[in-house]
Amino acid sequence: MRTCSACVLCERRNQAVPGIGDRHASWMFVGEGPGSEEDQRGEPFVGQAGRLLDNMLAAIGLQRGEDVYIANAVKCRPPHNRTPAPEEISSCRPYLERQIALVQPTVLVALGRPAALALLESEVSIGAARGRSFDYKGIPVVVTYHPAYLLRNPQDKGKAWADLCLARRIVAERKRGAASN
Ligand code: URA
């Protein structure tokens, strides 16, 4: 990943930002791509949106690094923080697939449209896709708003909260199912 040149995003990155967290996490959050602070520090979600993500995690009793893994749809910063193009997302997809295969999370949470595109391989609108779960190779995927969107649209925080509660129910049900098998 660190030396990847599969798409144009390699040209302007400071460094690739692979992901961070518990390598055996039950929860895997997938964002869009690194911003400028992430590109500087090499860790996902360390800027303003990251602080909101940490608060969202805390609200459902989670903490970065503890049963949580955080990755992005693309590992290199899109210039001027533009949305990654679909072809950049598909060039980067093998890395995300490998991360999911290694972590084997119980639930995947797609934060925003590019993350949903990376996981579901189809364009969805968050408003239409949220509130239910999709499937990625047998792992449930819950789609919700990106924290940067929520910073601009705080009126939708309640919906994101409901989506995280759905993901939490899915994790609890799957753990109960695994325990009784
Ligand atoms: N936004 C993202 O989607 N990912 C990050 O790592 C930071 C901000």
Short mmCIF file of all heavy atoms in Angstrom, two decimals, residues 17 30-35 38 43-47 49-50 70-72 111 146-148, ligand 1:
data_model
loop_
_atom_site.label_atom_id
_atom_site.label_comp_id
_atom_site.label_asym_id
_atom_site.label_seq_id
_atom_site.Cartn_x
_atom_site.Cartn_y
_atom_site.Cartn_z
N VAL A 17 -2.39 5.97 3.92
CA VAL A 17 -2.96 5.84 5.28
C VAL A 17 -3.75 4.53 5.30
O VAL A 17 -4.93 4.51 4.94
CB VAL A 17 -3.87 7.05 5.60
CG1 VAL A 17 -4.42 6.95 7.01
CG2 VAL A 17 -3.11 8.37 5.42
N VAL A 30 -15.62 2.14 7.74
CA VAL A 30 -14.94 2.48 6.50
C VAL A 30 -15.33 3.90 6.10
O VAL A 30 -16.52 4.20 5.92
CB VAL A 30 -15.28 1.48 5.37
CG1 VAL A 30 -14.55 1.85 4.08
CG2 VAL A 30 -14.92 0.05 5.79
N GLY A 31 -14.34 4.77 6.02
CA GLY A 31 -14.58 6.15 5.60
C GLY A 31 -14.28 6.34 4.13
O GLY A 31 -14.22 5.37 3.35
N GLU A 32 -14.07 7.59 3.76
CA GLU A 32 -13.90 7.93 2.34
C GLU A 32 -12.44 7.86 1.93
O GLU A 32 -12.03 7.05 1.10
CB GLU A 32 -14.49 9.33 2.18
CG GLU A 32 -14.45 9.88 0.81
CD GLU A 32 -15.23 11.20 0.72
OE1 GLU A 32 -16.32 11.32 1.31
OE2 GLU A 32 -14.73 12.11 0.06
N GLY A 33 -11.64 8.71 2.54
CA GLY A 33 -10.22 8.76 2.20
C GLY A 33 -9.55 9.75 3.12
O GLY A 33 -10.23 10.57 3.75
N PRO A 34 -8.23 9.70 3.25
CA PRO A 34 -7.54 10.61 4.16
C PRO A 34 -7.71 12.07 3.76
O PRO A 34 -7.77 12.39 2.57
CB PRO A 34 -6.06 10.21 4.03
CG PRO A 34 -6.02 8.96 3.20
CD PRO A 34 -7.33 8.80 2.53
N GLY A 35 -7.80 12.93 4.76
CA GLY A 35 -7.74 14.37 4.54
C GLY A 35 -6.32 14.84 4.81
O GLY A 35 -5.40 14.02 4.94
N GLU A 38 -4.77 13.56 8.14
CA GLU A 38 -4.53 12.12 8.07
C GLU A 38 -3.31 11.84 7.19
O GLU A 38 -2.48 10.98 7.51
CB GLU A 38 -5.77 11.42 7.50
CG GLU A 38 -6.96 11.40 8.44
CD GLU A 38 -7.75 12.71 8.50
OE1 GLU A 38 -7.57 13.55 7.59
OE2 GLU A 38 -8.55 12.89 9.45
N GLU A 43 -2.65 8.36 9.99
CA GLU A 43 -3.72 7.65 10.72
C GLU A 43 -5.06 8.17 10.23
O GLU A 43 -5.22 9.39 10.07
CB GLU A 43 -3.54 7.90 12.23
CG GLU A 43 -4.62 7.20 13.05
CD GLU A 43 -4.39 7.31 14.57
OE1 GLU A 43 -3.22 7.48 15.00
OE2 GLU A 43 -5.38 7.23 15.30
N PRO A 44 -6.05 7.27 10.03
CA PRO A 44 -7.35 7.76 9.55
C PRO A 44 -8.13 8.51 10.63
O PRO A 44 -7.98 8.24 11.82
CB PRO A 44 -8.10 6.49 9.14
CG PRO A 44 -7.40 5.36 9.76
CD PRO A 44 -6.00 5.81 10.11
N PHE A 45 -8.95 9.43 10.19
CA PHE A 45 -9.90 10.14 11.06
C PHE A 45 -9.23 10.76 12.30
O PHE A 45 -9.62 10.48 13.43
CB PHE A 45 -11.04 9.20 11.49
CG PHE A 45 -12.08 9.00 10.41
CD1 PHE A 45 -12.10 7.84 9.64
CD2 PHE A 45 -13.01 9.99 10.14
CE1 PHE A 45 -13.05 7.67 8.65
CE2 PHE A 45 -13.97 9.82 9.15
CZ PHE A 45 -13.99 8.66 8.40
N VAL A 46 -8.22 11.59 12.06
CA VAL A 46 -7.61 12.31 13.19
C VAL A 46 -7.97 13.80 13.18
O VAL A 46 -7.61 14.52 14.08
CB VAL A 46 -6.06 12.14 13.23
CG1 VAL A 46 -5.69 10.75 13.66
CG2 VAL A 46 -5.42 12.51 11.90
N GLY A 47 -8.67 14.26 12.13
CA GLY A 47 -9.06 15.67 12.06
C GLY A 47 -10.42 15.89 12.74
O GLY A 47 -10.84 15.11 13.60
N ALA A 49 -13.51 15.64 11.57
CA ALA A 49 -14.49 14.56 11.37
C ALA A 49 -14.13 13.37 12.27
O ALA A 49 -15.02 12.67 12.77
CB ALA A 49 -14.51 14.13 9.90
N GLY A 50 -12.85 13.18 12.50
CA GLY A 50 -12.40 12.08 13.36
C GLY A 50 -12.82 12.28 14.80
O GLY A 50 -13.17 11.32 15.49
N ILE A 70 -10.54 0.96 11.89
CA ILE A 70 -10.98 2.07 11.04
C ILE A 70 -10.13 2.08 9.76
O ILE A 70 -8.89 2.08 9.84
CB ILE A 70 -10.84 3.42 11.76
CG1 ILE A 70 -11.64 3.42 13.07
CG2 ILE A 70 -11.31 4.56 10.86
CD1 ILE A 70 -11.42 4.67 13.93
N ALA A 71 -10.81 2.07 8.63
CA ALA A 71 -10.10 2.10 7.34
C ALA A 71 -10.83 3.10 6.42
O ALA A 71 -11.85 3.68 6.81
CB ALA A 71 -10.08 0.71 6.72
N ASN A 72 -10.31 3.25 5.25
CA ASN A 72 -10.93 4.15 4.28
C ASN A 72 -11.10 3.44 2.94
O ASN A 72 -10.36 2.48 2.64
CB ASN A 72 -10.04 5.38 4.07
CG ASN A 72 -10.30 6.46 5.11
OD1 ASN A 72 -11.45 6.81 5.39
ND2 ASN A 72 -9.23 7.00 5.66
N LEU A 111 -19.29 4.69 6.09
CA LEU A 111 -19.52 6.10 6.43
C LEU A 111 -19.54 6.91 5.14
O LEU A 111 -18.50 7.26 4.59
CB LEU A 111 -18.41 6.60 7.36
CG LEU A 111 -18.26 5.84 8.69
CD1 LEU A 111 -16.94 6.20 9.37
CD2 LEU A 111 -19.44 6.14 9.61
N HIS A 146 -21.51 10.16 6.67
CA HIS A 146 -20.11 10.44 7.00
C HIS A 146 -20.07 11.53 8.09
O HIS A 146 -20.86 12.48 8.05
CB HIS A 146 -19.39 10.92 5.74
CG HIS A 146 -17.91 11.00 5.91
ND1 HIS A 146 -17.30 12.03 6.59
CD2 HIS A 146 -16.93 10.16 5.51
CE1 HIS A 146 -16.00 11.82 6.60
NE2 HIS A 146 -15.74 10.69 5.95
N PRO A 147 -19.14 11.40 9.06
CA PRO A 147 -19.07 12.43 10.11
C PRO A 147 -18.88 13.85 9.57
O PRO A 147 -19.42 14.81 10.15
CB PRO A 147 -17.86 12.02 10.96
CG PRO A 147 -17.62 10.59 10.66
CD PRO A 147 -18.20 10.29 9.31
N ALA A 148 -18.16 14.03 8.46
CA ALA A 148 -17.99 15.38 7.91
C ALA A 148 -19.34 15.94 7.44
O ALA A 148 -19.63 17.13 7.59
CB ALA A 148 -16.98 15.37 6.76
N1 URA B 1 -12.55 11.44 6.32
C1 URA B 1 -12.47 10.16 5.93
O1 URA B 1 -13.34 9.66 5.26
N2 URA B 1 -11.43 9.47 6.31
C2 URA B 1 -10.47 9.96 7.05
O2 URA B 1 -9.53 9.22 7.35
C3 URA B 1 -10.58 11.30 7.45
C4 URA B 1 -11.63 12.03 7.09
#
